[in-house]
Amino acid sequence: MKNSLRRALFMILVFFSCLMAQAINVAAQPTKEELISRLKTLEEMVQRQQQEIQELKKKLQEQEDNLTSQTQKAKEVAKTEAKEVASEEVKKVKEWLPKWIKQSKVSGDLRLRYEGIHNREDGRGLEKPDRDQFRLRARLFFDGNISDELSAHFMLSSNQDTNREATTTNQTFTDDFNDKGIYIHRAYGVYRPKWLEGLELVGGKFKNTFLHTDIMWDPDVNPEGFYEKYEYKGFGKLIPFVQLGQMSVNEVKDQTDDAWLFIEQLGVRYETKPFNLTMAVSWYDWSNLANTKYLNLAQYKNGGGNTFAIANSKPYTVYGYMYDYNLVEGLLLFTLNTLPYPLKLTFDYIRNTDSNVPEDQDSAYYIGFDLGTLKGKYDWLLGYKYARIEKDALLGSMADMDFYGANRKGHKLYFYYKPLERLRVGGAYFITRPIVDWTTPEKNGIYKDF
């Protein structure tokens, strides 16, 4: 009985324990309102955290921006200070330098050139070997204004070392890699007075500004002495001009009759938009050629194709030029600007007025054209000339040496192109031959070997 009572009490205790647990469990479950409230609380906490994170990011970005700004300001300050220091130094240098040096301009150029000379004859019908020459030209220019009226000009250039020839600035790839010579190619002063507009007075070794073509002057020749030039612009489009030159060819210390060249040129230009026309007449007087250093002895360019007096027997001593060279020249230039590309026509006629010169040896002429221009990038120029230069029409040693001076006739065709603003490429093709065979020393002339 006691065991039965115990079991009954135990069952009652278990029953009440289950009821209490169920009641507690039911009481522990949250209501819907409590769940919504808890979610709102959590959302607010997340939003506060996100806001705090954004504020932290903003402060961090502000710090980075501030640091970048300070760094940039520091760089700008340093740069400004450096510029100020440099500017101050430059200012000191400018104040120290003369004003005309500050206004000076320095420029230069380099040319690489190939010359192939083929089908050569020696003037008596004998063939000579072909020549292949690779050459260079280097030039440096200095131009500066000393004042509003005065300017100075210098030019250094490469040249052949033998005789420093006036008709070339080329140096041939030769002489076992020896260094190339640099010489004074120009050095002159210019005076353009304000009191007479159009007047130009020049002295020194200067660029040849006389109107001419290359049958009279090789492009590389720079005369020495003085010239005076005047242009009158009071007639509008019609501009007359006159130019006088006194060129010292050779000073002879033991004699008074130095070698000179005197030039008088008178011309007129008519300039309009459709076309330009220039005409000029010139007088050349080569005085005392017997006292030249190289020309009179046929040492310069082997005589240039002119006639020389030579002993009738060996060793065939050269006595000098057979004739005088008093030359008259008529030159006409016509440029047409109405075409897509400018067209320039040139005609030049020269005659030696010395009465002793045979009629079949006293004249030269040039006729040619240039089509195009070479002013800027992608510009091009096509040109052609025909020239006939009789044996004593002019001083052959001063004429275009690519054409081979006097006693020559033939053609020149050339083309140039500028692929870059400061780069020009091109070529020229010559077909030339003697007008008459070069005479031999036995016939009282000079044989030119080139």
Side-chain angles (χ1 to χ4, degrees):
M1 184 173 177
K2 288 183 180 179
N3 291 333
S4 299
L5 181 60
R6 288 177 181 174
R7 283 196 298 266
L9 290 174
F10 177 76
M11 292 300 293
I12 294 171
L13 180 62
V14 170
F15 174 75
F16 281 104
S17 297
C18 291
L19 289 175
M20 291 179 65
Q22 182 68 26
I24 292 172
N25 183 46
V26 171
Q29 288 184 354
T31 63
K32 181 179 179 179
E33 289 76 9
E34 289 176 339
L35 290 174
I36 293 173
S37 176
R38 290 179 182 180
L39 286 173
K40 289 183 178 180
T41 302
L42 290 173
E43 286 178 357
E44 292 175 355
M45 291 176 62
V46 171
Q47 289 177 356
R48 285 196 301 269
Q49 289 176 351
Q50 289 179 344
Q51 185 176 359
E52 290 176 358
I53 291 172
Q54 293 298 324
E55 290 177 354
L56 290 173
K57 286 183 177 181
K58 184 178 178 180
K59 290 181 179 179
L60 181 60
Q61 185 64 44
E62 289 176 353
Q63 291 178 354
E64 290 179 355
D65 293 343
N66 186 41
L67 180 61
T68 302
S69 176
Q70 291 179 356
T71 303
Q72 185 65 29
K73 288 181 179 180
K75 289 182 179 180
E76 291 177 356
V77 170
K79 187 177 181 180
T80 301
E81 291 178 351
K83 284 184 178 180
E84 290 176 354
V85 172
S87 177
E88 188 65 27
E89 294 300 322
V90 170
K91 183 179 179 180
K92 291 179 181 179
V93 173
K94 286 184 177 180
E95 291 176 351
W96 176 77
L97 288 173
K99 182 178 179 180
W100 72 274
I101 292 181
K102 291 182 286 185
Q103 298 175 348
S104 297
K105 177 183 177 182
V106 180
S107 60
D109 60 31
L110 169 67
R111 183 179 70 188
L112 301 179
R113 176 172 172 174
Y114 164 73
E115 295 180 12
I117 310 174
H118 305 283
N119 301 321
R120 299 196 303 155
E121 295 181 356
D122 64 359
R124 293 173 292 185
L126 300 178
E127 293 186 3
K128 300 184 64 178
D130 295 341
R131 292 191 67 182
D132 295 283
Q133 290 182 292
F134 295 90
R135 318 186 84 183
L136 65 85
R137 182 188 72 183
R139 302 188 299 182
L140 190 61
F141 303 86
F142 302 87
D143 302 281
N145 294 323
I146 300 174
S147 70
D148 294 338
E149 298 179 315
L150 289 172
S151 62
H153 308 267
F154 304 92
M155 177 180 172
L156 301 178
S157 178
S158 55
N159 203 325
Q160 302 290 347
D161 294 322
T162 303
N163 298 342
R164 286 87 59 194
E165 297 165 357
T167 55
T168 185
T169 51
N170 294 311
Q171 274 280 7
T172 304
F173 292 5
T174 187
D175 294 338
D176 306 334
F177 305 147
N178 282 0
D179 291 340
K180 310 302 181 183
I182 297 292
Y183 301 92
I184 297 176
H185 203 51
R186 293 177 193 159
Y188 63 98
V190 180
Y191 175 53
R192 297 185 179 94
K194 290 184 175 181
W195 51 268
L196 183 57
E197 184 181 357
L199 178 63
E200 181 176 288
L201 306 177
V202 176
K205 185 173 180 63
F206 45 80
K207 179 180 179 181
N208 192 343
T209 60
F210 287 86
L211 198 65
H212 66 278
T213 67
D214 59 15
I215 65 171
M216 179 68 83
W217 292 108
D218 186 281
D220 289 318
V221 175
N222 292 297
E224 302 170 17
F226 310 90
Y227 78 74
E228 306 81 36
K229 182 178 181 180
Y230 177 67
E231 292 184 347
Y232 181 71
K233 299 182 179 180
F235 296 146
K237 298 177 181 179
L238 190 67
I239 304 174
F241 62 88
V242 61
Q243 187 168 357
L244 309 175
Q246 306 84 40
M247 319 298 187
S248 178
V249 182
N250 189 43
E251 187 270 332
V252 185
K253 65 179 180 180
D254 296 328
Q255 303 180 38
T256 57
D257 48 351
D258 298 333
W260 284 82
L261 168 62
F262 299 97
I263 307 176
E264 293 88 37
Q265 185 173 85
L266 180 65
V268 61
R269 296 200 312 271
Y270 185 72
E271 298 180 345
T272 65
K273 189 174 182 180
F275 70 90
N276 298 330
L277 176 65
T278 303
M279 297 181 292
V281 176
S282 306
W283 172 257
Y284 288 78
D285 181 7
W286 290 91
S287 179
N288 301 320
L289 277 174
N291 290 331
T292 54
K293 186 172 183 178
Y294 303 110
L295 297 174
N296 188 58
L297 300 177
Q299 295 177 349
Y300 194 91
K301 294 294 184 184
N302 295 320
N306 299 132
T307 303
F308 286 78
I310 299 177
N312 288 325
S313 59
K314 294 182 180 181
Y316 305 123
T317 304
V318 178
Y319 291 112
Y321 285 101
M322 182 71 74
Y323 310 110
D324 288 333
Y325 290 87
N326 302 315
L327 315 177
V328 61
E329 177 183 31
L331 181 61
L332 184 147
L333 305 175
F334 177 79
T335 302
L336 185 62
N337 301 315
T338 56
L339 300 176
Y341 299 97
L343 174 65
K344 178 181 177 182
L345 304 176
T346 303
F347 179 76
D348 191 10
Y349 176 78
I350 302 169
R351 181 173 178 271
N352 188 351
T353 63
D354 181 15
S355 60
N356 295 317
V357 181
E359 291 185 359
D360 60 351
Q361 297 180 200
D362 66 355
S363 299
Y365 67 87
Y366 170 118
I367 184 169
F369 73 86
D370 289 328
L371 178 64
T373 182
L374 290 172
K375 293 182 179 180
K377 186 177 179 181
Y378 303 135
D379 284 347
W380 56 269
L381 177 72
L382 174 66
Y384 166 81
K385 84 168 185 181
Y386 176 81
R388 177 186 168 91
I389 309 171
E390 293 177 351
K391 194 169 179 60
D392 294 291
L394 47 81
L395 211 63
S397 293
M398 292 289 105
D400 182 11
M401 281 295 106
D402 291 329
F403 204 78
Y404 287 121
N407 190 29
R408 207 76 182 175
K409 63 180 179 179
H411 311 264
K412 177 185 177 183
L413 180 66
Y414 49 95
F415 178 78
Y416 300 103
Y417 174 67
K418 293 187 70 174
L420 300 173
E421 184 69 28
R422 299 184 180 182
L423 176 64
R424 188 181 78 176
V425 296
Y429 183 66
F430 294 83
I431 304 177
T432 69
R433 66 182 308 273
I435 296 176
V436 297
D437 289 343
W438 301 111
T439 55
T440 60
E442 293 87 343
K443 295 182 179 179
N444 197 35
I446 185 169
Y447 164 62
K448 182 187 177 190
D449 182 10
F450 56 86

